[in-house]
Amino acid sequence: MGFLARSRWLAAVSTEGQQWVVPTRLAIGVLLLCPIDGSIQQLFAFWHADTSALSFGAVATGMILRAVEILAGMSFIAGLGVRLAGYPVVAIFAVRAVANAANSFAWLREVVNGVIVPHGDWGYGAMYFGVALLLGELLGAGSGPWSVDHWLSRKFGAVGKSDSAS
């Protein structure tokens, strides 16, 4: 316990976030667990190439992407490691924003052709872009007062103070 209290791990779970962090964190977790336009694996062209002849690599990559999405969603719901899970989540929402915007803009569709399958429309793209920007605030604020991170930072903080007193 003393090792964790004195290490940089405590800084990763320490949270002094405001009250707005909790509903924002829960909404992002729900968007990851129950995506509006399909999961992240369905946005990549390798998944849609030929469903009868999907290679093992494409199936494995799709499963790994969905697993990352589910783990990050559960992390956001529980408030555990939000600062660490935030980076892949920014990438997930950026891909979703591009995939949704590409369906509405021909020039963007040409740019991402063969890599990302267009879904939705520019409205969903704008929503996902906004969520990705909001994640930048969560990376700085932490996961808020009602989270596993907050509980861990208080627990390890108390252990660190008792170890330094002796």
Side-chain angles (χ1 to χ4, degrees), residues 24 28 33 53 62 72-73 77 84-85 98 107 113 120 125 129 138 156 158 163:
T24 304
I28 291 172
L33 292 174
I77 297 288
L84 301 174
V98 169
W107 65 269
N113 189 22
F129 181 69
L138 280 180
F156 291 143
D163 285 350

Side-chain angles (χ1 to χ4, degrees), residues 3 14 23 27 32 34 39 46 51 65 68 92 123 127:
F3 165 74
S14 177
L32 287 166
C34 307
S39 62
F46 67 80
T51 55
L65 288 173
V68 167
I92 287 169
M127 179 198 65

Side-chain angles (χ1 to χ4, degrees), residues 21 66 100 153:
V21 170
R66 183 62 184 144
N100 282 285
S153 66

Side-chain angles (χ1 to χ4, degrees), residues 66-130:
R66 183 62 184 144
V68 167
E69 203 171 30
I70 290 171
L71 290 174
M74 292 186 326
S75 172
F76 271 79
I77 297 288
L80 177 63
V82 168
R83 287 187 176 140
L84 301 174
Y87 295 105
V89 171
V90 167
I92 287 169
F93 284 127
V95 168
R96 285 187 185 175
V98 169
N100 282 285
N103 208 23
S104 296
F105 302 108
W107 65 269
L108 185 56
R109 193 174 322 128
E110 292 295 325
V111 170
V112 298
N113 189 22
V115 179
I116 298 175
V117 177
H119 277 11
D121 61 8
W122 69 271
Y124 285 125
M127 179 198 65
Y128 283 128
F129 181 69

Side-chain angles (χ1 to χ4, degrees), residues 126-149:
M127 179 198 65
Y128 283 128
F129 181 69
V131 171
L133 290 176
L134 189 58
L135 277 166
E137 294 294 322
L138 280 180
L139 291 175
S143 53
W146 296 298
S147 65
V148 174
D149 284 351

